[in-house]
Amino acid sequence: MNQISNEADPLIAEYDGLFLDLDGVCYLGEVPAPNAPQALTKVKELGKHLAFITNNSGRSPEVVAAHLNRIGIPAQVQMVVNSAMSSAAQMRQILPAGARVLRVGGDGIRQALAAADFVQVDSADEQPIAVIQGLSADVGWSELSEACLAIKAGAQYFATNIDATIPKERGEMLGNGSLVAAVRNATGVEPISSGKPASYIYEFTHKHTGLVNVLAVGDRLNTDIAGAVNAQIPSVHVLTGVNTGRDVALAAPAERPNFLALDLLDLLVPYPEVCVLDDGSVCVGQSIAKIIADTIYVDEKKVGSGVTLDQYRAIVHLAWNLIDTGHYEIEDLSRIIPEFQVLR
C-alpha cells in the first residue's frame, strides 16, 4: 500500500502526458472547473502532452477543442477523443463497412459514423443491422422508440457510454446511461459500450494520440477511475465533479485511484508518501488518520466538516486499509465515515 514519490518532483514529472476527462475535470458545462486553466497551461509549459477523453459523444472534437481554448485550456483537435469515435472504431471490428446503422445522438456520433464508412439511418424501417446511442439534448421518445423497434427486429445494440448523469453548472443532469436504461428496459438487451469504464476508449486513445506513459485524471469513480484500472493506467481523482471525498474512501478496489487531488493544481506539486504505521494508523505527509472505537480521527480530531488535502488522503488510505484487511465491510464503514469537505 505504501506509495513513495520523489518529493523534489511534482506528481506530473514522471509522466509524458495526461488523459483528461472533460465534464467535472476540465469544465462544468460552459465554465472551467476550479483552477483547471492555470494548471493545464502550466502542465503544457512543462513539456507534457494533454489528451482529452470524454464519454460525452454529443459534440465533435472540433467543437470540444474550441470550447476548451475559449475557457483558457490549451487544446488541439487531434488530442480530443470522444466515445463516439471509440464506439465507431469498436463497431468496425464487429460490423462490415457500409453497414446500415440507426443513429441516436448528436453531431459527435454523426461525424464518427461517417468517418468509419457506415450508412446512417433514422428509422427502424430502413432495416439497420446496428443501433448506436449517445447523448444529445434532442433525443426524446421518438428516437428512443425507433431504437427499440430496430433492436427488437434484431439490430445489434451499441451505446457510447452508460453514465447516469453529467455534471453541469447547476449540478448533475440526465446522462446517456439514463436514456440507455429506458431502451434496455423496453428491449431487455444490454448494449456494448466502448466508453468508460470499459478499457476500450483508453486503448483507442493510446493509438489515436501516440501517448503511452500517461496519468489518467477523472472525477467519477465508476467510469473514469474504473476505466483506468481496467486499462492498467495510473490515475488521479479530483474533487471538482461527481464523486466526493467520502465516496473515494468507500470505493471498492476496482474503482480506486492511485493518487488523490483536490483539483488539477495538485498535479504540479510533489505527492506525499503514504505509509501504514505499526498500530494500523495511516500517515500521509504530516497527517495521521486512525480509528478508535468506531470513530475516525485525523491529527487527533474527529473527522468533521473540513479537512486539509493530506488529511483527506490519510482518511481515504485508512479506510481502504480497514476494508482490505477485513476489519470492516464497506457497508459498515459507511456508517462511520461522515461527509466532509476538503479545503486547500
Side-chain angles (χ1 to χ4, degrees), residues 3 16 95 116 127 134 137 141 146 189 217-218 232 325 335 342:
Q3 297 179 4
D16 296 331
L95 306 174
Q127 299 181 326
W141 178 88
E146 289 298 326
V189 176
V217 187
Q232 299 182 3
T325 56
R335 292 190 282 267
V342 182

Side-chain angles (χ1 to χ4, degrees), residues 95-174:
L95 306 174
R100 289 178 178 270
V101 176
L102 175 64
R103 182 193 67 251
V104 179
D107 287 340
I109 291 181
R110 189 189 312 275
Q111 184 181 88
L113 291 179
D117 295 325
F118 289 117
V119 175
Q120 303 177 50
V121 302
D122 299 313
S123 170
D125 293 339
E126 296 181 75
Q127 299 181 326
I129 68 168
V131 171
I132 176 66
Q133 181 179 352
L135 186 63
S136 171
D138 298 326
V139 171
W141 178 88
S142 178
E143 291 77 13
L144 297 180
S145 294
E146 289 298 326
C148 289
L149 289 169
I151 293 166
K152 282 182 173 291
Q156 194 159 6
Y157 184 24
F158 296 85
T160 59
N161 69 293
I162 51 174
D163 296 16
T165 61
I166 184 170
K168 296 286 189 179
E169 301 95 328
R170 295 168 57 199
E172 292 184 49
M173 295 188 174
L174 208 64

Side-chain angles (χ1 to χ4, degrees), residues 36-301:
Q38 53 266 53
L40 294 180
T41 297
K42 181 62 176 177
V43 169
K44 285 283 288 183
E45 290 174 355
L46 292 174
K48 308 299 181 179
H49 299 280
L50 306 180
F52 303 91
I53 308 177
T54 178
N55 268 1
N56 188 341
S57 63
R59 299 188 296 176
S60 69
E62 290 80 6
V63 171
V64 170
H67 178 194
L68 288 167
N69 283 293
R70 187 168 59 250
I71 62 175
I73 295 175
Q76 299 170 300
V77 172
Q78 65 268 31
M79 301 302 276
V80 177
V81 171
N82 62 32
S83 57
M85 296 165 63
S86 61
S87 291
Q90 187 179 43
M91 291 166 69
R92 276 302 305 270
Q93 295 179 348
I94 300 171
L95 306 174
R100 289 178 178 270
V101 176
L102 175 64
R103 182 193 67 251
V104 179
D107 287 340
I109 291 181
R110 189 189 312 275
Q111 184 181 88
L113 291 179
D117 295 325
F118 289 117
V119 175
Q120 303 177 50
V121 302
D122 299 313
S123 170
D125 293 339
E126 296 181 75
Q127 299 181 326
I129 68 168
V131 171
I132 176 66
Q133 181 179 352
L135 186 63
S136 171
D138 298 326
V139 171
W141 178 88
S142 178
E143 291 77 13
L144 297 180
S145 294
E146 289 298 326
C148 289
L149 289 169
I151 293 166
K152 282 182 173 291
Q156 194 159 6
Y157 184 24
F158 296 85
T160 59
N161 69 293
I162 51 174
D163 296 16
T165 61
I166 184 170
K168 296 286 189 179
E169 301 95 328
R170 295 168 57 199
E172 292 184 49
M173 295 188 174
L174 208 64
N176 192 53
S178 295
L179 301 179
V180 166
V183 177
R184 183 195 296 118
N185 184 62
T187 63
V189 176
E190 187 72 29
I192 297 171
S193 177
S194 75
K196 299 171 280 186
S199 63
Y200 189 90
I201 194 169
Y202 283 117
E203 295 161 2
F204 175 80
T205 305
H206 279 307
K207 296 177 183 177
H208 183 76
T209 65
L211 295 179
V212 177
N213 179 32
V214 295
L215 179 65
V217 187
D219 68 297
R220 193 188 292 262
L221 296 172
N222 65 356
T223 56
D224 304 324
I225 304 305
V229 172
N230 290 334
Q232 299 182 3
I233 298 173
S235 64
V236 56
H237 179 269
V238 292
L239 295 170
T240 49
V242 172
N243 284 121
T244 66
R246 183 176 182 274
D247 294 336
V248 177
L250 296 171
E255 297 182 359
R256 292 178 187 170
N258 299 85
F259 305 103
L260 308 174
L262 177 55
D263 57 47
L264 293 174
L265 282 178
D266 297 309
L267 298 171
L268 301 170
V269 296
Y271 200 85
E273 181 179 353
V274 178
C275 58
V276 180
L277 305 181
D278 292 340
D279 63 356
S281 59
V282 173
C283 177
V284 178
Q286 300 300 312
S287 294
I288 298 178
K290 63 181 68 176
I291 187 166
I292 302 174
D294 286 348
T295 301
I296 304 290
Y297 293 83
V298 62
D299 295 335
E300 306 302 330
K301 296 180 180 179

Side-chain angles (χ1 to χ4, degrees), residues 297-309:
Y297 293 83
V298 62
D299 295 335
E300 306 302 330
K301 296 180 180 179
K302 291 182 181 180
V303 175
S305 58
V307 299
T308 67
L309 180 55

